[in-house]
Amino acid sequence: MDQNSLKKNYIFNWQGALALIGGMIVGSSIVAIANVISIFAFNENLQYKDFYLLIANAAGFLGAIFAFDYFIARPQTGRKLNFNFSPTNLMTYLLIFPMMFGMMMIGEFITAQIPVKGPVFGNYYEYFSKLMDQMTNDHATLIVLAVIMAPIFEEIVFRGIIQKGLMNKGVKPWKAIAISALVFGLVHGNPWQFVGAVLLGSVLGLVYYKTKSLLLSMLLHAFNNLVSSILIFYGKTESFAETFHVSEYLILGFGIILFSVFYYLFMKKYRVHYSEN
């Protein structure tokens, strides 16, 4: 019998969820404590520095990944976390990027239907807008955070740990993809990013399931965030319709066609050329 078939796979359950949450809290707390020390010892609040956001984000995710690895994966499997970052053939890239682009356009239309005014959403949207303005003041920080760090850390957690752990547990792939995508949307903490994050997470989860490679989902995630960042830099908005002054229904229609065609090609014509490590 092949030795790889005897290897135990980690699973994701409530204990894994607690490990991720606890690890993120501990990692973030360490950075917060360091900032408190800086305030009292050096009279400098690092929270207003651009690099603080990067460090705090990295500390939270690294804490979560370490906690799951040390307290869940290793006791269950007897070895450290190991992910597959295999590249693939050119045709696969030519299928998944247009599919992702179509999803982004569909997500934009749905997000645009969520109210930004009124007693329920008005104040929340104003707070969210100010927060986003603060985050996008420095272009270099936004690029590092959104295009490099977020795709790496978030794909490891949501696809590599949660989705894969659920499938290892016996959850049907489509359910594992849906659960990880919903959690991915919820952690964004606002209704305007929730829709796009769930759709993004669904496509990323599908690509990861089909290819077994986190590299591809990371590249797609980075592509999504890069396009959004460019729109913000040059159009002060994440909307294709507003940036190019076209109807949102035109964007929706083009997005549906693009996504449908390349989804079909990816699902029906594509064949996986490598297996899980």
Side-chain angles (χ1 to χ4, degrees):
M1 184 177 293
D2 184 75
Q3 189 174 3
N4 289 332
S5 64
L6 299 176
K7 288 183 179 181
K8 293 182 178 179
N9 294 317
Y10 60 84
I11 64 172
F12 184 79
N13 52 22
W14 66 270
Q15 293 172 317
L18 287 179
L20 288 178
I21 295 171
M24 180 161 285
I25 291 174
V26 171
S28 300
S29 297
I30 291 174
V31 176
I33 292 172
N35 186 43
V36 171
I37 294 174
S38 174
I39 292 173
F40 284 99
F42 306 104
N43 197 29
E44 185 170 12
N45 190 345
L46 301 177
Q47 193 171 357
Y48 298 105
K49 303 291 185 180
D50 291 327
F51 68 83
Y52 181 85
L53 181 62
L54 302 178
I55 294 175
N57 184 271
F61 275 105
L62 287 173
I65 295 167
F66 172 81
F68 187 88
D69 178 31
Y70 191 80
F71 295 108
I72 304 298
R74 297 192 189 205
Q76 289 179 355
T77 66
R79 63 186 188 278
K80 64 181 181 179
L81 277 173
N82 182 37
F83 302 107
N84 182 5
F85 298 103
S86 302
T88 186
N89 56 319
L90 177 62
M91 180 56 65
T92 303
Y93 295 107
L94 296 178
L95 294 177
I96 61 177
F97 278 91
M99 181 172 66
M100 172 62 73
F101 196 61
M103 180 283 302
M104 293 167 62
M105 293 181 171
I106 296 171
E108 174 183 317
F109 178 85
I110 299 175
T111 301
Q113 310 313 308
I114 302 174
V116 296
K117 297 180 180 180
V120 178
F121 293 104
N123 292 334
Y124 189 19
Y125 184 76
E126 185 177 348
Y127 168 78
F128 169 68
S129 297
K130 290 180 179 178
L131 183 63
M132 291 302 297
D133 288 340
Q134 182 180 355
M135 291 179 60
T136 58
N137 278 338
D138 183 76
H139 290 183
T141 300
L142 179 62
I143 289 295
V144 173
L145 181 63
V147 183
I148 299 175
M149 291 175 58
I152 293 174
F153 291 137
E154 292 177 3
E155 289 313 296
I156 288 175
V157 170
F158 292 100
R159 256 57 64 181
I161 291 178
I162 296 179
Q163 179 179 316
K164 182 180 178 182
L166 288 171
M167 289 192 295
N168 289 341
K169 189 181 177 183
V171 176
K172 292 182 179 179
W174 72 268
K175 287 186 178 180
I177 293 170
I179 291 171
S180 63
L182 284 171
V183 175
F184 182 56
L186 288 171
V187 299
H188 282 76
N190 66 83
W192 300 278
Q193 287 185 318
F194 173 79
V195 173
V198 170
L199 293 176
L200 169 65
S202 298
V203 174
L204 295 175
L206 174 67
V207 171
Y208 178 54
Y209 167 64
K210 289 283 288 182
T211 66
K212 307 297 186 294
S213 174
L214 269 182
L215 174 64
L216 272 66
S217 64
M218 287 178 177
L219 291 175
L220 281 178
H221 196 152
F223 169 72
N224 175 86
N225 291 1
L226 177 62
V227 171
S228 296
S229 299
I230 292 174
L231 289 175
I232 291 173
F233 293 162
Y234 295 102
K236 305 300 181 183
T237 176
E238 292 185 68
S239 169
F240 292 107
E242 292 180 14
T243 299
F244 297 105
H245 306 291
V246 296
S247 168
E248 60 183 15
Y249 290 98
L250 180 63
I251 296 296
L252 173 64
F254 186 69
I256 291 174
I257 294 172
L258 198 62
F259 177 80
S260 299
V261 169
F262 285 93
Y263 172 83
Y264 172 80
L265 293 174
F266 180 70
M267 294 299 291
K268 302 299 182 182
K269 304 298 183 183
Y270 176 71
R271 295 293 182 270
V272 177
H273 297 286
Y274 45 82
S275 60
E276 187 81 51
N277 282 347

